[in-house]
C-alpha cells in the first residue's frame, strides 16, 4: 500500500498546482483535504491521469506514504496548520518530515520546528512564492527549519529545475525570508502604481501610451515580472474596446504578510519605510468613502502639470528605479537584523537568487544584488555598494524632480518620497537628532552623548537653569 513518494495536505489552488508540478517531475503524490469533495474533484479533474492518489482520511493518507514520510501542508496560515499538525503528528514515525508550504508566521514556524523535533520529527517551514502559475511551473521556494531534513527534501523541492529553491537557515528563517519577499512585493507594486498615477494624471497619458512606456521599461533596468504584467494590464481592453483597468475600483486589499514585515521591522528597530508606506497606501485607498467626503469638503487638488516633456517619463523611470533600490536595501537590512537577532547565518546573495525566478518579484535586478553580496558578504546596506551608489547618484536628479513635481501638483507619491527621505537621511553626517536628545533630556532626564566626548559617556543638563550641565 505504501506507494506515494510524498503527500500533500490541503488542495486549494496552490496545493493543487504544486501536486501537479511534483507529478510532472516523476513523483507519485498522495493527497488529502479536510473536505473530501475537493479531493475527489481534483483527482477526477485536473489530476486525472497523473500519479496522484486521493485519500479520504488522514489515516489512509499517512498509510499511503513511503517511509521516511514527507508531507507537505498547504493550508490556511495560523490555526489551520496547528489543527492539521495535531491530527497528523500522532500518526507519524521517527524521521518523518513535515514541510509547511503556506504563508505561516516565522515565529509559528520556529515553534513548530521545536515541537516536531521533540517528537523525533523534522519540520521545514518553506515560504513559497509565484502564485498559481509559479506553483504549477516552478515556484520560488524558501525552506528553513530542521536542516537535517534538507538532503531528504531537496530532490523534490528543487525538482522544478530552476535554482530558485535553496536552504535558507534554521528556525523560521524560511518563512521570515518569504515575509520580507512579500513586503518587497508590496513595495514593488506601489512604486509601479505611483509611476502609473503620475503618467495618467500629471502627464495625461492614455492606457496605450502607458502600456508602451512600461513595455520599454521592461526591456531595460526594470526588467521584471511586475513591470511586464503592468504593461499587459494597461494594454487590456474590454468588449467595448475600453481599457479594463479604468473600470477597476481603486480600493486595494491585503492579506497581511506585508504588515508582518513592517511589524518585524519595528520590533527589530530597522527602517522598512517604503514597504510601510506601501501597506498604508493600500489602507488609505480602502477608505474610499472618507476620501470622497474629504474631496468634497476641502477639494481634490491634483493638477495636470504643463510643460513637462517626454523627459519626465524618464524621470519617473529613475524615481521608480531609485526607490526600488532603496526598498531592497531596506529589505536586506531587515534580513540582516533578523539574522543577528535570531542567530541565523544567512547568505544574502543566495536569497536574492531565490527570488530571481519563479516568484512575483522576479527581476533581472536581483543579479546585481547577488553580485553586491558576492563582492562583500557582510555588506550592511546595498547603498554602500559602489554599483548601487552610482545607480542612485545617476537617478537622483530625475527622482527629485518627480517628488518635487508631485508635491507641487498635489499627487501623492508616498513610496518615492519616503525612499528619498531615507536616502537623504542615510547619507547625512548630521541629523537633527541632537534636538530630539535634548528634548528627551529636558522632559525626562534621559541624558545624551556629546560630539566632543567619546561615545558611551552620558550627560544631563538642567535645562531651566542656563550655564549648568
Ligand atoms: P477545506 O477545503 O476543507 O476548507 C485553504 O483554505 C485550504 O486550507 C483548504 O484546503 C482548506 O480545507 C484548508 N483548511 C482550512 N482550515 C483548515 C483546518 N482547520 N483544518 C484542515 N484544513 C483546513
Amino acid at each position: 500500500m505504501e506507494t506515494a513518494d510524498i503527500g500533500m495536505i490541503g488542495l486549494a489552488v496552490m496545493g493543487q498546482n504544486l501536486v501537479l508540478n511534483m507529478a510532472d517531475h516523476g513523483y507519485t503524490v498522495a493527497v488529502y483535504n479536510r473536505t473530501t469533495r475537493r479531493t475527489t474533484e481534483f483527482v477526477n479533474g485536473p489530476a486525472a491521469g497523473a500519479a496522484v492518489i486521493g485519500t479520504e482520511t488522514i489515516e489512509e493518507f499517512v498509510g499511503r506514504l513511503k517511509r521516511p514520510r514527507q508531507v507537505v501542508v498547504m493550508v490556511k496560515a495560523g490555526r489551520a496548520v496547528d489543527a492539521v499538525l495535531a491530527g497528523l503528528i500522532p500518526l507519524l514515525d521517527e524521521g518523518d518530515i513535515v514541510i509547511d508550504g503556506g504563508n505561516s508566521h516565522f515565529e509559528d514556524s520556529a515553534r513548530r520546528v521545536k515541537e516536531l523535533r521533540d517528537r523525533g520529527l523534522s519540520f521545514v517551514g518553506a515560504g513559497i512564492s509565484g502564485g498559481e502559475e509559479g506553483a504549477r511551473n516552478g515556484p520560488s521556494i524558501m525552506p528553513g527549519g530542521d536542516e537535517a531534513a534538507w538532503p531528504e527534501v531537496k530532490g523534490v523541492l528543487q525538482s522544478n529545475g530552476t535554482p530558485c529553491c535553496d536552504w535558507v537557515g534554521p528556525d523560521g528563517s524560511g518563512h521570515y525570508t518569504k515575509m520580507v519577499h512579500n513586503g518587497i512585493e508590496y513595495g514593488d507594486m506601489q512604486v509601479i502604481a505611483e509611476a502609473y498615477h503620475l503618467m495618467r494624471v500629471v502627464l495625461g497619458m492614455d492606457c496605450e501610451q502607458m502600456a508602451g512606456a512600461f513595455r520599454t521599461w521592461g526591456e531595460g533596468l526594470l526588467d521584471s515580472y511586475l513591470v511586464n504584467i503592468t504593461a499587459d494590464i494597461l494594454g487590456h481592453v474590454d468588449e467595448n474596446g475600453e481599457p479594463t483597468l479604468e473600470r477597476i475600483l481603486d480600493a486595494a486589499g491585503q492579506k497581511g504578510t506585508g504588515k508582518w514585515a513592517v511589524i518585524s521591522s519595528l520590533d527589530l528597530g530597522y527602517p522598512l519605510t517604503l514597504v510601510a508606506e506601501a501597506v498604508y497606501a493600500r489602507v488609505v485607498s480602502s477608505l474610499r468613502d472618507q476620501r470622497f467626503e474629504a474631496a468634497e469638503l476641502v477639494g481634490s487638488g491634483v493638477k495636470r502639470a504643463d510643460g513637462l516633456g517626454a523627459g519626465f517619463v524618464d524621470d519617473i523611470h529613475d524615481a521608480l528605479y531609485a526607490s526600488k533600490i532603496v526598498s531592497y536595501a531596506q529589505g536586506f537590512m531587515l534580513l540582516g537584523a533578523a539574522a543577528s537577532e535570531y542567530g541565523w547565518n544567512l547568505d544574502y546573495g543566495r536569497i536574492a537568487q531565490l527570488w530571481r525566478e519563479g516568484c512575483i518579484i522576479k527581476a533581472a535586478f536581483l543579479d546585481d544584488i547577488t553580485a553586491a553580496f558576492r563582492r562583500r558578504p557582510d555588506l550592511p546596506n546595498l547603498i554602500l555598494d559602489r554599483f548601487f551608489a552610482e545607480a542612485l547618484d545617476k537617478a537622483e536628479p530625475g527622482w527629485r524632480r518627480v517628488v518635487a513635481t508631485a508635491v507641487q501638483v498635489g499627487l501623492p507619491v508616498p513610496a518615492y518620497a519616503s525612499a528619498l527621505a531615507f536616502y537623504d537621511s542615510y547619507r547625512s553626517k548630521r541629523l537633527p537628532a541632537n534636538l530630539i536628545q535634548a528634548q528627551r533630556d529636558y522632559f525626562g532626564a534621559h541624558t545624551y552623548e556629546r560630539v566632543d566626548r567619546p561615545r558611551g559617556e552620558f550627560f544631563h543638563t538642567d535645562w531651566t537653569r542656563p550655564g549648568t550641565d
Side-chain angles (χ1 to χ4, degrees), residues 133-410:
E133 218 281 316
R136 185 69 187 84
N137 298 311
S140 162
I141 307 181
M142 296 149 254
D146 198 339
E147 194 163 0
W150 178 232
E152 308 293 324
V153 300
K154 189 175 170 172
V156 63
L157 293 186
Q158 286 187 339
S159 67
N160 53 59
T162 70
C164 291
C165 170
D166 212 337
W167 190 252
V168 173
D171 313 326
S173 60
H175 274 128
Y176 195 92
T177 304
K178 172 68 189 340
M179 178 188 80
V180 172
H181 162 285
N182 282 31
I184 286 176
E185 180 182 311
Y186 274 60
D188 278 2
M189 292 166 75
Q190 178 65 23
V191 294
I192 291 172
E194 290 179 13
Y196 156 68
H197 204 185
L198 285 156
M199 287 179 190
R200 184 176 177 275
V201 178
V202 179
L203 291 176
M205 291 165 71
D206 64 26
C207 281
E208 205 182 323
Q209 292 169 322
M210 291 189 277
F214 277 98
R215 191 80 60 212
T216 308
W217 290 359
E219 286 160 6
L221 289 172
L222 296 177
D223 174 9
S224 60
Y225 173 74
L226 282 168
V227 164
N228 288 317
I229 67 163
T230 301
D232 289 349
I233 290 167
L234 283 160
H236 194 276
V237 289
D238 64 16
E239 60 280 10
N240 304 318
E242 300 293 327
T244 308
L245 181 59
E246 293 303 312
R247 296 256 179 277
I248 296 181
L249 189 85
D250 55 337
Q254 56 173 317
K255 286 210 220 143
T257 37
K259 178 185 78 179
W260 287 350
V262 177
I263 291 172
S264 176
S265 80
L266 290 167
D267 284 340
L268 297 177
Y270 269 75
L272 198 68
T273 54
L274 190 143
V275 175
E277 289 294 355
V279 174
Y280 289 132
R282 292 195 191 190
V283 174
V284 173
S285 79
S286 71
L287 304 175
R288 202 161 176 272
D289 293 344
Q290 290 184 42
R291 287 195 280 122
F292 271 68
E293 192 178 335
E296 291 301 324
L297 186 66
V298 294
S300 204
V302 186
K303 295 191 285 278
R304 184 167 156 186
D306 294 319
L308 294 170
F312 198 67
V313 174
D314 296 334
D315 287 349
I316 299 172
H317 170 280
D318 290 352
L320 197 169
Y321 182 53
S323 302
K324 185 172 160 117
I325 293 173
V326 167
S327 179
Y328 282 69
Q330 293 185 335
F332 278 93
M333 263 173 117
L334 181 62
L335 279 173
S340 12
E341 174 72 17
Y342 305 116
W344 303 332
N345 181 19
L346 301 182
D347 180 336
Y348 306 103
R350 193 160 71 187
I351 289 173
Q353 285 306 294
L354 298 184
W355 300 340
R356 178 66 180 79
E357 284 296 336
C359 61
I360 306 294
I361 64 170
K362 72 178 173 188
F365 168 79
L366 287 155
D367 286 338
D368 299 325
I369 295 180
T370 299
F373 283 112
R374 293 279 177 267
R375 281 190 283 277
R376 186 177 162 192
D378 65 343
L379 184 69
N381 189 313
L382 286 174
I383 294 173
L384 299 175
D385 175 76
R386 187 155 298 285
F387 173 85
F388 287 107
E390 281 170 10
L392 286 168
D393 191 52
K394 197 156 161 276
E396 188 187 331
W399 186 13
R400 275 189 204 289
R401 278 193 294 272
V402 166
V403 172
T405 305
V407 168
Q408 262 166 355
V409 302

Side-chain angles (χ1 to χ4, degrees), residues 9-12 33-35 38 74-76 79-81 83-84:
I9 299 179
L11 292 174
N33 190 70
R34 178 181 60 177
T35 310
R38 220 198 262 264
M74 283 300 284
V75 299
K76 220 163 156 268
R79 254 179 268 153
V81 177
V84 166

Side-chain angles (χ1 to χ4, degrees), residues 81-90:
V81 177
D82 286 315
V84 166
L85 291 178
L88 178 67
I89 287 172

